[in-house]
Amino acid sequence: MFPVIILLTFLGIATALKLGLDSEEDAQIRQTLASETESLARRLEHDFLNHVIALRRMASRLEQQPDMSRKSWSQDARNYLEDFQTFQAIEWIDRNFVIRWIEPLEGNTEAQGFNVAFSEERLEELTRARQQGSLDISGVISLTQGGTGLVVYAPVGAGADNNGFIAGVFRMERLADTLIIPHIRGNFSLELLEEGEVTFSLPAQTATQNRFSHTTATNLPSVQWAVRISPTQGWVERYRSNWPWATFLSMLALGLLVSLTTLLVQLVLKRNQDLLRTRRDLEEEIDQRIAIQHDLERLASTDTLTGLANRRFFMEDLEHTLLQADRHMRQVGLIMMDLDRFQMLNDSLGHHFGDELLAMVSRRLDQLSDERIMVGYSGGDEFMVCQQHVDDIDDVIHLLGQIKGCFAEPFEIHNEKHHVTATMGVAVYPQSGVDADILLRNADIALYRAKEQGRNTYQFYTEGMQEREVRRLELDNDLSEALARNQFELYFQPQLDLATSQSSSVEALIRWNHPERGLVPPVEFIPLAEESGRITEIGRWVIRAACQQIRQWQGTALENLRVAVNISGRELGEADLPEYLAQCFDEYQVRPQQLEIELTEESFIENVKHNHEQMRRISQLGVHLAIDDFGVGYSSLGYLRDFTVDLLKIDRSFITDVTRRHDDAIITRAVINLAHNLGIRVVAEGVETEEQLDFLKQHRCDMAQGYLMSRPVPAGDLPDVIAGGLLAVSQQQDH
């Protein structure tokens, strides 16, 4: 109940504050409006009196020159009409109150000869003005010329010397246009009041706020006028602000927060009768809030998983470091580091394992941090290390040794020890780049080159690397003509069946017979083809060439060989791939069972829903499906249940050290057992030693592929290789 009372109290306070601020704004608006009205009235007085003075001056001249000719008088009147655009007409009225002279005559002919003392009231007022020599103003009347207006009578002399009046006729519309409208245009409506009655009004162009109307009396001779103006909605809004509502909502929000806080305190007090324990709980909550505040302050610069500087903060600090280095003519080392086989471990052992491994690596690397070395986390499995005040390249090499030392001891996770290594790329300022972005790019290039050389190594960026990138671009340009000029060729690498010691399948591998570079392996041009989008055309060429070769083998000892071809995820994404396969089978009279499609894990699950349908259609044709490079992709093992998979190919990175590294042996055995439990055959890639082959036979691997049996060979050499080389290897192993 109490929180509701608090909320209602804050609501009342908020309402009162809003009303108070609204009232204050209303008062300010009224004060401003009063000032505007007063200013308008005084301006009207000033301008009107100037016209009166002009009429008196003209009357005075006529008094001094009673024999003034009409021509001279008319010229004098025209001068005044030109000087004061407000007059409708200027008249001379004789002692009998009859209009004798009028200027201009055009438009005013009906007024000439008119007796202005047309009523007893007007006669009385004009007689008094003539006797006293005082000014007389008619008030708003209907003019003989038409329309409404007022007439100002300035007597020519007084008493017996009076020679009539000089009269200035004002049409109200012209008076308003000249003296009033320029000052109120678009902002106000105006009303002239005479003895409390509206004698003239000028409406505003938009709706007005009449509750803010203000009236000010004028100080004019012989007439009791008051000016009342009402502001438009737009004018009022200019003096409004958002503060009343902002204050109201702020107080309401504060009330809600206080109410919720009060309710929370009540619940805490209700659950905790012991005052001491309540105090301790509150102190703990305060400590937690302080810790959270510190965490939020670190969040802008620190990665939450690793506790290291995040990429944004690291790059900002690197830019600052380079500025200091330029000023003091020093070198700076930037090291980009990538954990070897991290993605495979992460996918095989779970993301919790990967996160814990990253955290442990980060703690070891962070021990290198000091005033000269900053360690940052770039994301994924990449780390960045910046070394300031580099005097010699040996300083960087020493740091690289320290980093490698961080990986010397295994990482114990979930009671198991795992040996992890790292590959590094190094760029040194200013030789390798003069700003942070270029330095980072070149360190990435060096890291890429280091990965090409193998794992657990490092590479410094050199200008030659940039030249190599240029050569890659030249190769990419040549690739566009390779298909048109039929420069591709298929090589075949046999797969040994470890149970029968025979070869019933081969893998088709594309080669590029470059006219200048010679035989270009796929590792150099396939990535370029994927980047440029030509991989689909090349993939279609491989399928067609494989079908052609199967057709050529018909009637020979190789007629039952199954040929495996690699296709990319982009090729699998082509909706007409099954139709293209069926067309090739029909064109070359090839049984679909003789073709096997290999997909990498990563491309296999890029678009699960689409790929599932594609593989279902391809499988219905009778084509075999193999997953290539198994264990280094990004998939979950659960996908093996959902897709029709005939074969798993264990990546060569596991086979290379399978007899020396405990981790690789465990993973290889696990993949073989997993595949067999799912009814899937297993091929081991990259078999190069007899020890590796012994290991695979011992653990019931189905097939082996690698240089130990045969390198990829042209189609013409394949019969001899299968008949001789593979059998010899198998027999040698059996003995």
Side-chain angles (χ1 to χ4, degrees), residues 490-493 495 505-510 538-550 562-568 571 577 580-581 585 592 594-600 615 618 623-628 647 649 705:
L490 285 186
Y491 273 47
F492 299 91
Q493 186 174 33
Q495 297 171 341
S505 59
V506 295
E507 181 179 3
L509 301 168
I510 190 171
I538 295 176
R540 297 278 171 111
W541 182 91
V542 171
I543 292 172
R544 181 173 292 275
C547 290
Q548 285 178 327
Q549 188 60 63
I550 294 173
R562 185 170 63 248
V563 178
V565 298
N566 294 276
I567 67 172
S568 67
E571 294 173 72
L577 178 61
Y580 183 78
L581 288 168
F585 297 150
Q594 287 189 263
L595 190 70
E596 182 179 283
I597 288 180
E598 293 186 1
L599 285 163
T600 63
M615 297 316 303
I618 294 173
V623 178
H624 287 254
L625 170 65
I627 299 181
D628 197 13
L647 198 68
K649 301 189 72 174
Q705 177 181 345

Side-chain angles (χ1 to χ4, degrees), residues 402-428:
Q402 290 180 303
I403 294 175
K404 293 190 70 173
C406 293
F407 297 91
E409 296 296 326
F411 296 87
E412 186 171 344
I413 303 175
H414 302 161
N415 298 322
E416 291 187 5
K417 294 183 178 180
H418 299 270
H419 289 274
V420 178
T421 58
T423 302
M424 293 170 281
V426 187
V428 178

Side-chain angles (χ1 to χ4, degrees), residues 609-649:
K609 183 177 180 181
H610 172 80
N611 290 348
H612 188 280
E613 176 62 19
Q614 284 286 79
M615 297 316 303
R616 184 189 65 80
R617 296 171 61 196
I618 294 173
S619 180
Q620 287 178 348
L621 295 174
V623 178
H624 287 254
L625 170 65
I627 299 181
D628 197 13
D629 300 336
F630 185 78
V632 297
Y634 299 90
S635 73
S636 163
L637 296 177
Y639 289 111
L640 295 178
R641 300 174 307 178
D642 302 327
F643 290 86
T644 304
V645 177
D646 301 292
L647 198 68
L648 289 184
K649 301 189 72 174

